[in-house]
Amino acid sequence: MLGTIVNTGCIIVGSLVGTLFKKGLGEKYSTTLFNAMGLASLALGANSFVQNMPKSEFPVLFILSLAIGGIIGTALDLDGRVKRLVAQRTGEGLAKGLISACLLYCIGTFSIVGPVMSALNGDNTFLYTNSTLDLVTSMVFATTFGIGMVLAAPVLFCWQGMFFLIAKLASNSPLLQGTLVNELAIVGGVLIISSGLSILNIKDCKTLNYLPALLVPVAWFLIKSLF
């Protein structure tokens, strides 16, 4: 868990440092950084999609995942419920920032593969690399949204901790095969792109309604392993 602890700590430190810089920034600079985060989300999401799509053994699975996950999320109104809950406690702007940050921190190859590698091989290389990226990203997010961005740290800890425990308990499970990670990264890349479009006010795709899409590849591999 050392790599996950370091990763969580980097987000906390980055959020604190970014908050200090925020006090000296004018509105136009805050807007510039806000746009930078939107563009970065588009770039990181596209990179995750492009890198993992050629490795996919089921090229249409991400389409089915988004369709099925979107229907489930819309029926549950996940996006509306989470945004209302967070906005009530933190404000609408911070709610958007937290949702985008959590997606960037959690839905990526490093953040999924990293804890698995750590649990199986004691290799924290991916998590340390992810820590460096998240340190910089959290600083930029905090200069725009403030100290409230530190709330993304426990979300990341729980997310990576879940994969760490799964890997420890099911080290021989077919669910940990690389192809599942590829499928999750493809779907995650699309979700990050969706988040970027929302930050840039291009299109509010209600990204959280598509979160159940991440469960579809897991269900697919579970069913596949039975036959």
Side-chain angles (χ1 to χ4, degrees):
M1 287 292 287
L2 177 61
T4 293
I5 293 172
V6 171
N7 202 162
T8 303
C10 283
I11 292 177
I12 294 173
V13 171
S15 298
L16 293 175
V17 173
T19 301
L20 293 177
F21 281 108
K22 176 180 173 64
K23 296 179 180 179
L25 290 176
E27 182 178 351
K28 65 177 181 179
Y29 294 108
S30 295
T31 301
T32 297
L33 290 174
F34 189 86
N35 290 335
M37 280 297 90
L39 294 171
S41 297
L42 293 179
L44 291 171
N47 180 64
S48 180
F49 182 87
V50 171
Q51 277 193 340
N52 290 280
M53 192 61 194
K55 306 173 187 176
S56 175
E57 296 179 6
F58 311 98
V60 299
L61 182 58
F62 85 96
I63 300 175
L64 293 174
S65 298
L66 291 170
I68 296 172
I71 290 173
I72 294 173
T74 300
L76 297 174
D77 190 25
L78 293 180
D79 191 85
R81 291 185 179 185
V82 172
K83 284 182 178 178
R84 286 192 294 271
L85 177 63
V86 177
Q88 287 174 358
R89 300 177 183 276
T90 63
E92 185 174 349
L94 180 56
K96 181 184 291 186
L98 276 173
I99 290 169
S100 300
C102 288
L103 286 171
L104 280 175
Y105 298 152
C106 297
I107 313 299
T109 305
F110 285 154
S111 207
I112 296 173
V113 179
V116 173
M117 293 289 289
S118 178
L120 298 180
N121 307 318
D123 184 358
N124 289 310
T125 303
F126 277 15
L127 289 176
Y128 290 153
T129 302
N130 200 52
S131 298
T132 304
L133 295 172
D134 288 349
L135 176 65
V136 177
T137 304
S138 60
M139 288 174 61
V140 178
F141 264 114
T143 58
T144 303
F145 298 105
I147 188 61
M149 293 307 299
V150 77
L151 296 175
V155 175
L156 175 91
F157 182 84
C158 293
W159 173 260
Q160 291 188 358
M162 176 186 68
F163 280 99
F164 184 91
L165 290 175
I166 289 174
K168 278 291 188 183
L169 297 173
S171 58
N172 296 320
S173 171
L175 287 178
L176 296 179
Q177 294 176 358
T179 186
L180 172 59
V181 174
N182 292 336
E183 302 303 331
L184 289 174
I186 292 169
V187 176
V190 176
L191 295 183
I192 294 173
I193 291 174
S194 174
S195 179
L197 293 175
S198 177
I199 292 176
L200 293 170
N201 292 319
I202 296 175
K203 172 69 175 179
D204 183 4
C205 300
K206 300 187 183 301
T207 306
L208 292 183
N209 281 345
Y210 291 91
L211 278 185
L214 292 169
L215 299 177
V216 176
V218 177
W220 166 258
F221 278 89
L222 276 172
I223 295 172
K224 185 173 178 292
S225 67
L226 297 176
F227 299 96

